[in-house]
Amino acid sequence: MAHQTVGHAVRPGLPDDPSAAVTEPDPACPVEITLAVLRGRWTTLVVRELLRGECTFTELREALPALSDKVLSDRLAQLTQAGVLIRHRRPGWPPRTRYQLTPKGRGLGPVLQALWDWGAEHHPPSPERP
Amino acid sequence: MAHQTVGHAVRPGLPDDPSAAVTEPDPACPVEITLAVLRGRWTTLVVRELLRGECTFTELREALPALSDKVLSDRLAQLTQAGVLIRHRRPGWPPRTRYQLTPKGRGLGPVLQALWDWGAEHHPPSPERP
DNA sequence: CAGCATCCATTCAGATACTG
DNA sequence: CAGTATCTGAATGGATGCTG
């Protein structure tokens, strides 16, 4: 996206940013960064579960039964890589791993709230309405 | 996603929802709804352009030169379908069509702002930060 | 000018099967 | 328990070419 400098007046979603004239998707754009973290099916649900408290792999699987191991694994890696959550491994057998949001991850709360708010306000019960 | 009942005081589609049990992605979830609107490469950039003011097809192409006709066309259809923008066609030749955000579309401003804020706060200059 | 139709390369997610 | 490896079908999105 690379949103930036929408000028100054409006909120368009972009504060006054030094860089201007970004005319194509840019991974360094804050908006892109955030969307990249949330991208992918199941991602926000996984985050939601973790916002309730730390979980193990199995607990997440139980909370989201239709989510395959592979995708869950992918999501956890993606979120870990993004610094949104941390993995606590405990040695020994059987293995136990706890997943926990970092402060950065908890910071996604307001973001999800904003997404929720818009969706809730503009799509009450009926689908599309002019 | 299917984040539930934020109720009133609680966080996002986060935990604490009585009607829990939403255990898989649900198109009716407000969070899903919003992400569906913003989904796809170039989408937020197109919205950003329109937040600056109404545009014609060509103006958008010029503002985003690397965006192909097909994808621009797709995005405009997607956003129009979502009720986020309207198309004003002017009869005659040559054709002229103006695209303008609806109030609903302008409501995306705060959403983009939230996305921007998180990205800007958590990814200052360096890529990954603990 | 504004745009749709086609073709193709890439990405993604679900299913299945197998380890540390 | 907590994952990874592999495969496949579906969904992108970019390039190119044509029309109302």
Side-chain angles (χ1 to χ4, degrees):
Chain A
M1 279 76 185
H3 297 72
Q4 79 296 80
T5 306
V6 168
H8 55 302
V10 239
R11 280 280 106 139
L14 313 330
D16 293 296
D17 188 84
S19 58
V22 183
T23 60
E24 58 185 279
D26 175 1
C29 169
V31 172
E32 288 265 358
I33 288 167
T34 309
L35 287 176
V37 169
L38 297 177
R39 171 144 35 232
R41 203 157 129 89
W42 296 97
T43 305
T44 58
L45 281 179
V46 170
V47 172
R48 183 202 65 182
E49 283 306 312
L50 289 167
L51 279 166
R52 309 179 92 147
E54 54 173 66
C55 305
T56 63
F57 193 89
T58 297
E59 284 168 349
L60 287 169
R61 259 200 310 215
E62 288 169 350
L64 309 169
L67 171 55
S68 73
D69 285 3
K70 182 207 170 243
V71 175
L72 175 53
S73 192
D74 287 351
R75 294 295 170 263
L76 292 172
Q78 162 190 346
L79 294 170
T80 300
Q81 164 72 22
V84 156
L85 62 82
I86 22 167
R87 216 174 172 145
H88 299 281
R89 281 197 175 99
R90 209 166 46 184
W93 197 268
R96 202 134 255 256
T97 306
R98 293 180 304 110
Y99 288 94
Q100 182 181 21
L101 288 180
T102 60
K104 179 174 171 179
R106 268 175 262 117
L108 285 171
V111 175
L112 294 177
Q113 182 70 58
L115 293 169
W116 174 283
D117 289 345
W118 190 90
E121 180 178 351
H122 298 284
H123 288 255
S126 46
E128 275 321 310
R129 77 117 240 295
Chain B
M1 280 81 184
H3 300 72
Q4 285 315 302
T5 306
V6 169
H8 48 299
V10 215
R11 290 291 92 140
L14 314 189
D16 306 325
D17 55 282
S19 66
V22 182
T23 60
E24 57 185 279
D26 175 1
C29 168
V31 172
E32 288 266 358
I33 287 167
T34 309
L35 286 177
V37 169
L38 297 178
R39 171 146 31 228
R41 204 155 126 88
W42 296 97
T43 306
T44 58
L45 239 24
V46 170
V47 171
R48 182 203 64 183
E49 283 306 312
L50 290 167
L51 278 166
R52 310 177 92 148
E54 54 172 66
C55 305
T56 63
F57 193 89
T58 297
E59 285 168 350
L60 288 169
R61 260 201 308 218
E62 289 169 349
L64 309 170
L67 172 55
S68 73
D69 285 4
K70 179 198 170 254
V71 176
L72 175 53
S73 192
D74 287 351
R75 293 297 170 263
L76 292 172
Q78 162 191 346
L79 294 170
T80 300
Q81 163 71 24
V84 156
L85 63 82
I86 21 166
R87 215 174 175 147
H88 299 282
R89 283 199 174 98
R90 211 167 42 185
W93 196 267
R96 203 134 252 262
T97 306
R98 292 179 306 111
Y99 288 94
Q100 182 180 20
L101 288 181
T102 60
K104 179 174 172 181
R106 268 175 261 118
L108 286 172
V111 175
L112 293 177
Q113 183 70 56
L115 293 169
W116 175 283
D117 289 346
W118 190 90
E121 180 178 350
H122 298 284
H123 288 257
S126 46
E128 274 322 310
R129 266 288 343 153

